[in-house]
DNA sequence: TTTATAATACTTGTATACAAGTATTCTCGT
DNA sequence: ACGAGAATACTTGTATACAAGTATTATAAA
């Protein structure tokens, strides 16, 4: 067996989490990073002994991951679906869909408080860049979008986000970690895009909103390309371990 | 305790379902019908003894219902959220959102097979009306929309539907049951609306699509009003049982 | 009567046990 | 060598057991 002791998911984010949550997050990261390959059949019993826990938290994790569409629960075993380019495109379809909806609602509403909150998060992101903390940056990046979505107080839009968020979070984590190593200069552009986003909300300029949304989308497209690179690096690394 | 032996969810739909699924469906119906009132705190142990099953399937059910936003999992006990008018509006926001998206995709695609399939389902619905089978009608109604959504083969849009479907299904079931008793004449209009829907897809007429979508939306609004009536009837019925 | 504290009852999350079902493998008769 | 069927190993879903934590209640001291 290859060395899999190192956890991909930030341990500090799990301080109060249950075993089930830990397994869920870690498993998700391993699947999305490509460490567990697409097509692999997961067995509850095997996972339980691998993670040295009982089947209860494993079952819980598999249910969650199935609802996120990254595994498929079948009669015998759970098959890893993983994320192909098709799925990446689909995830961003949904992101554009719900963020456009949210924007449309925000136009009708007082947003000064939201803008304040977003500015704070943006400052946090800058600090994270300064100290090269990829995980913290990712956390704030996800929080940025979640804050916007929460602002319209729409439980069923939030439901969609809740389903999308964990996968988004994993993608962003993996992408940012590799970018901090290789494409550090990207971050000023990311910050600019987020600032544009805030401006759009502040001025309630629908046109600017659409523009910034799509710029963010394009930016995210690049993130995905980065992810492909990091997947390749990772699988190369695993191969090297087998030498 | 009031008489709760009768199951709200159609037993025949659960022929191959696990205990967990049965509990989930039944609990959902009881919450959405108003039989279990909003604000009620559900205890795993109490539910387990009420349903005469262990905590395992109950836990499973509560997790699912929480992800559907009809209960809230808290430190101690699960609080029933239920559906206020706000949530009804939000559910249909999301329905409009995804069905519009789906329509947009269908315009670019071969739809003859889909139209055939939908026509078949519509025939089924007519038969269900003829024999006054509210449950069968509801089943076909839900299937109609699911078939359209599945046609674009988009796993993340399908994910949204998967989360929305159970609640939709429950709403439609309750509404149709009361309509078959009281507003039988409604059904010809419902059938017409669905036919319009099919025509829109067939002719790829975007304008007609939007029109039929909103007609269907308006129709569904009425369903909700019916639901309120049926909730009131139901709660009156419960009160009468206490006499 | 009020307030601290101890006892009790209930809660969640995890582990383990078991039943029923489904693949896989093995063995035996042809 | 090959196919039928038995034996075996694995699967899921449910029940039960247990540990650790949290509310509630009861008791006792001020």
């Amino acid at each position: 067996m290859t060395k899999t002791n190192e956890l991909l998911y930030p341990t500090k984010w799990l301080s109060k989490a249950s075993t089930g949550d830990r397994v869920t997050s870690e498993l998700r990261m391993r699947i999305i990073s490509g460490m567990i390959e697409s097509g692999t059949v997961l067995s509850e019993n095997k996972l339980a002994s691998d993670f040295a826990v009982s089947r209860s938290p494993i079952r819980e994790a598999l249910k969650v991951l199935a609802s996120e569409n990254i595994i498929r629960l079948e009669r015998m075993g759970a098959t890893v679906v993983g994320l192909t380019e098709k799925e990446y495109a689909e995830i961003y379809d949904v992101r554009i869909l719900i963020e456009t909806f949210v924007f449309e609602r925000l136009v009708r509403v007082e947003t000064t408080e939201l803008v304040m909150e977003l500015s704070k998060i943006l400052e946090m992101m800058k600090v994270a860049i300064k100290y090269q903390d990829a995980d913290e940056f990712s956390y704030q990046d996800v929080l940025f979008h979640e804050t916007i979505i929460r602002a319209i107080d729409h439980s069923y839009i939030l439901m969609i986000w809740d389903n999308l968020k964990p996968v988004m979070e994993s993608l962003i984590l993996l992408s940012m970690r590799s970018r901090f190593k290789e494409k550090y200069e990207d971050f000023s552009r990311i910050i600019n895009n987020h600032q544009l986003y805030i401006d759009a909300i502040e001025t309630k300029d629908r046109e600017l909103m659409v523009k910034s949304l799509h710029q963010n989308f394009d930016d995210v497209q690049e993130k995905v390309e980065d992810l492909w690179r990091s997947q390749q690096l990772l699988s190369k690394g695993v191969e090297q371990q087998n030498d």
Side-chain angles (χ1 to χ4, degrees), chain A:
Chain A
M1 204 178 102
T2 51
K3 189 166 60 177
T4 58
N5 294 336
E6 304 136 41
L7 298 175
L8 290 178
Y9 196 80
T11 328
K12 62 183 295 193
W13 294 2
L14 295 167
S15 58
K16 284 202 169 181
S18 67
T19 310
D21 292 337
R22 288 165 203 274
V23 171
T24 308
S25 300
E26 187 57 27
L27 218 43
R28 187 189 295 115
M29 284 292 281
R30 291 190 189 178
I31 291 171
I32 292 179
S33 72
M35 188 170 155
I36 299 176
E37 277 169 36
S38 189
T40 311
V41 175
L42 302 173
S43 148
E44 287 183 8
N45 287 313
K46 187 165 182 314
L47 286 174
S49 69
D50 282 0
F51 280 94
V53 297
S54 79
R55 269 179 58 220
S56 308
I58 300 289
R59 279 179 73 78
E60 194 184 309
L62 294 184
K63 284 263 165 64
V64 173
L65 298 180
S67 84
E68 290 168 10
N69 262 324
I70 60 178
I71 67 172
R72 226 185 6 248
L73 256 37
E74 278 153 353
R75 263 173 299 164
M76 310 219 97
T79 304
V80 174
V81 175
L83 299 175
T84 68
E85 281 183 85
K86 179 169 182 289
E87 273 84 34
Y88 288 121
E90 291 176 351
I91 289 172
Y92 293 111
D93 282 341
V94 173
R95 262 202 60 188
I96 295 276
L97 202 62
I98 65 174
E99 297 208 16
T100 306
F101 181 91
V102 170
F103 270 157
E104 216 53 48
R105 287 289 168 100
L106 286 177
V107 174
R108 304 176 173 184
V109 141
E110 177 62 31
T111 52
T112 50
E113 210 174 326
L114 172 63
V115 167
M116 196 84 119
E117 187 68 18
L118 293 178
S119 300
K120 192 184 82 187
I121 295 171
L122 195 59
E123 294 290 322
M124 299 281 217
M125 288 168 78
K126 288 176 188 167
V127 175
I129 294 172
K130 192 174 162 190
Y131 290 90
Q132 307 220 18
D133 188 338
D135 291 7
E136 181 64 30
F137 183 85
S138 305
Y139 177 83
Q140 299 293 344
D141 194 353
V142 172
L143 182 61
F144 186 91
H145 295 281
E146 177 161 333
T147 303
I148 295 171
I149 290 165
R150 282 190 183 278
I152 64 165
D153 185 35
H154 191 299
S155 58
Y156 280 78
I157 291 290
L158 190 59
M159 186 189 82
I160 298 174
W161 171 250
D162 286 339
N163 273 286
L164 213 58
K165 176 186 176 179
V167 175
M168 286 294 307
E169 189 184 69
S170 300
L171 284 171
I172 291 177
L173 258 173
L174 292 164
S175 164
M176 292 306 166
R177 281 179 189 166
S178 90
R179 279 204 197 188
F180 264 103
K181 287 179 190 159
E182 300 170 34
K183 296 177 76 181
Y184 193 66
E185 69 281 6
D186 274 10
F187 287 98
S188 64
R189 205 191 60 250
I190 297 178
I191 291 294
N192 280 342
N193 283 352
H194 280 78
Q195 184 58 56
L196 202 65
Y197 223 137
I198 297 178
D199 294 344
I201 292 171
E202 191 167 24
T203 59
K204 296 185 192 300
D205 181 341
R206 198 177 268 110
E207 214 171 316
L208 187 59
M209 277 178 176
V210 172
K211 190 186 161 202
S212 65
L213 183 60
H214 279 269
Q215 276 207 357
N216 194 274
F217 175 77
D218 294 341
D219 188 50
V220 138
Q221 285 286 41
E222 276 200 57
K223 283 181 199 171
V224 171
E225 284 168 29
D226 284 340
L227 188 75
W228 284 113
R229 269 215 309 286
S230 78
Q231 277 194 5
Q232 288 177 329
L233 283 172
L234 206 142
S235 58
K236 277 178 197 161
V238 172
E239 279 166 28
Q240 281 167 3
Q241 282 181 2
N242 291 341
D243 292 347

